[in-house]
């Protein structure tokens, strides 16, 4: 049994002080949005309580699907680096970036540098090479595949994308890990499902992503971005692939978005395929009590030959 925890949309607070030069960019709109919509509802205290409960469940691995910061300021990226060190050993924590981590041109390059230990695949670590997406990490029977949809966008836009080069490499990784009989978890920030996000926040390349997994397979897709607890399905070669999102890990109780939560997946190989049990744990009251919210048995993957 492999226990995989999933959190997303950390949005570490508080914001550092901004210079006038930093505000003369898309960051001015993000700063206004933070002060008017998020400053009072997304708190470090909520995040700390949630992470403590998640660690108490003793997951084997943690998947973080983006938006660790807000405006991708250098000071924010350094703060997120320290937070990742507190979260876990880089070998036990896998990160993909979100649109806020690539907020302005040049930010994603810095994000890769600051968070490199948590965003490199096994082959990249062995070769001491830079971060490249998609990456592959194998832990037991689990293949953790990190896809980047992060990109800098114009003001009032929060779209992401996946392009041919990354999709082609993703297909190669899915083929390789499928032949090895691994449970393939794809991590991406933006939802690869039509209608899951409004048009100004959608993933560009949803069709390309879905065609890739329909041809090459996969067992589970984890994403963030919408700050919602949702479950969708997309087509695999001959089965449905669950697509799971989780609320923001910093969202306090009593706001218009659901409060902070994480998902815990218990994955095991059986004599006919895979079992995957999902537990949603999150904040349930103003005292920041954390309890199980829902449980699901997910139908995942192809049927394997009996062992």
């Amino acid at each position: 049994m492999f226990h995989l925890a999933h959190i997303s949309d950390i949005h570490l607070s508080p914001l550092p002080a901004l210079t006038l030069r930093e505000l003369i960019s898309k960051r001015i709109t993000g700063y206004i949005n933070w002060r008017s919509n998020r400053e009072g509802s997304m708190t470090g205290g909520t995040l700390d309580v949630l992470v403590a409960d998640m660690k108490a469940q003793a997951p084997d691995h943690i998947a973080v699907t983006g938006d660790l910061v807000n405006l991708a300021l250098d000071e924010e990226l350094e703060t997120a680096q320290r937070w990742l060190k507190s979260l876990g050993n880089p070998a036990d924590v896998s990160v993909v970036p979100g649109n806020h981590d690539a907020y302005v041109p040049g930010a994603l390059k810095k994000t890769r540098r600051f968070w490199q230990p948590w965003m490199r695949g096994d082959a990249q670590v062995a070769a001491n090479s830079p971060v490249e997406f998609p990456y592959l990490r194998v832990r037991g029977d689990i293949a953790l595949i990190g896809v980047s949809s992060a990109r800098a966008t114009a003001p009032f836009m929060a779209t992401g994308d996946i392009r041919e080069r990354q999709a082609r490499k993703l297909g190669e990784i899915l083929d390789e890990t499928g032949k090895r009989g691994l449970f393939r978890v794809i991590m991406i920030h933006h939802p690869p499902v039509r209608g899951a996000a409004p048009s100004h926040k959608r993933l560009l390349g949803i069709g390309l992503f879905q065609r890739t997994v329909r041809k090459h397979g996969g067992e589970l897709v984890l994403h963030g971005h919408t700050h919602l607890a949702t479950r969708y399905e997309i087509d695999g070669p001959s089965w449905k692939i669950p697509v799971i999102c989780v609320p923001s890990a910093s969202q306090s109780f009593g706001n218009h978005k659901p409060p902070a939560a994480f998902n815990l997946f218990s994955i095991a190989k059986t004599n006919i395929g895979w079992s995957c049990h999902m537990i949603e744990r999150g904040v349930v009251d103003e005292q920041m009590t954390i309890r199980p919210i829902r449980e699901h048995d997910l139908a995942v993957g192809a049927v394997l030959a009996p062992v």
Side-chain angles (χ1 to χ4, degrees):
M1 185 76 70
F2 188 92
H3 301 286
L4 174 64
H6 173 214
I7 57 173
S8 195
D9 297 87
I10 314 305
H11 293 289
L12 289 166
S13 62
L15 274 182
L18 277 75
T19 66
L20 181 60
R21 181 179 179 181
E22 288 168 333
L23 283 171
I24 303 175
S25 68
K26 179 186 174 179
R27 286 189 174 117
I28 184 63
T29 60
Y31 178 76
I32 293 170
N33 181 48
W34 173 265
R35 292 298 301 269
S36 59
N37 296 322
R38 290 183 172 176
E39 186 174 27
S41 63
M42 305 188 78
T43 65
T46 302
L47 175 64
D48 291 344
V49 170
L50 186 79
V51 169
D53 185 84
M54 181 178 67
K55 288 185 174 182
Q57 311 308 312
D60 297 299
H61 203 86
I62 301 172
V64 186
T65 52
D67 278 3
L68 279 67
V69 299
N70 302 286
L71 306 181
L73 299 161
D74 286 359
E75 188 174 340
E76 284 188 289
L77 300 180
E78 292 174 0
T79 297
Q81 182 188 64
R82 292 192 293 272
W83 180 79
L84 285 169
K85 288 179 179 178
S86 73
L87 188 63
N89 187 298
D92 301 323
V93 179
S94 295
V95 176
V96 294
N99 56 290
H100 281 266
D101 307 322
Y103 206 69
V104 294
L108 184 57
K109 183 177 180 180
K110 292 182 179 180
T111 296
R112 291 185 182 199
R113 186 174 76 247
F114 278 108
W115 307 344
Q116 177 176 275
W118 296 270
M119 295 200 304
R120 288 199 300 174
D122 296 335
Q124 295 164 15
V125 171
N128 195 27
S129 59
V131 173
E132 183 179 354
F133 295 100
Y135 67 72
L136 169 64
R137 293 173 155 195
V138 176
R139 303 292 182 266
D141 289 329
I142 311 300
L144 297 148
I145 304 166
V147 173
S148 176
S149 60
R151 67 175 198 163
T153 59
F156 309 108
M157 299 294 287
T159 53
D161 69 12
I162 181 170
R163 301 183 183 182
E164 286 287 350
R165 187 206 63 80
Q166 193 173 187
R168 183 171 60 253
K169 182 63 176 176
L170 173 60
E172 293 171 0
I173 291 174
L174 290 170
D175 280 346
E176 174 203 343
T177 50
K179 290 175 182 176
R180 293 165 63 182
L182 302 179
F183 185 99
R184 296 160 292 178
V185 181
I186 304 171
M187 302 169 292
I188 187 171
H189 180 66
H190 290 77
V193 177
R194 299 189 192 283
S199 60
H200 68 289
K201 295 184 177 182
R202 72 189 186 279
L203 176 68
L204 303 176
I206 286 176
L208 177 60
F209 181 94
Q210 292 194 7
R211 288 194 300 273
T212 301
V213 298
R214 185 163 60 244
K215 179 178 179 181
H216 301 281
E219 280 65 54
L220 181 63
V221 177
L222 304 180
H223 72 89
H225 192 53
T226 64
H227 298 200
L228 299 173
T230 56
R231 289 188 296 149
Y232 295 98
E233 291 181 334
I234 58 177
D235 290 333
S238 59
W239 62 89
K240 297 291 185 179
I241 300 172
V243 178
I244 309 294
C245 187
V246 67
S248 164
S250 297
Q251 184 68 57
S252 58
F253 184 83
N255 291 276
H256 70 286
K257 286 291 180 77
F262 68 92
N263 292 330
L264 186 65
F265 301 91
S266 298
I267 304 165
K269 184 176 286 189
T270 72
N271 63 346
I272 59 170
W274 296 101
S275 69
C276 183
H277 185 72
M278 170 184 166
I279 300 176
E280 301 176 53
R281 290 183 64 88
V283 174
V284 297
D285 56 31
E286 292 182 350
Q287 287 70 46
M288 292 194 289
T289 306
I290 296 182
R291 293 178 182 157
I293 300 170
R294 286 174 290 268
E295 297 190 33
H296 318 272
D297 284 316
L298 303 180
V300 293
V303 175
L304 305 175
V307 297

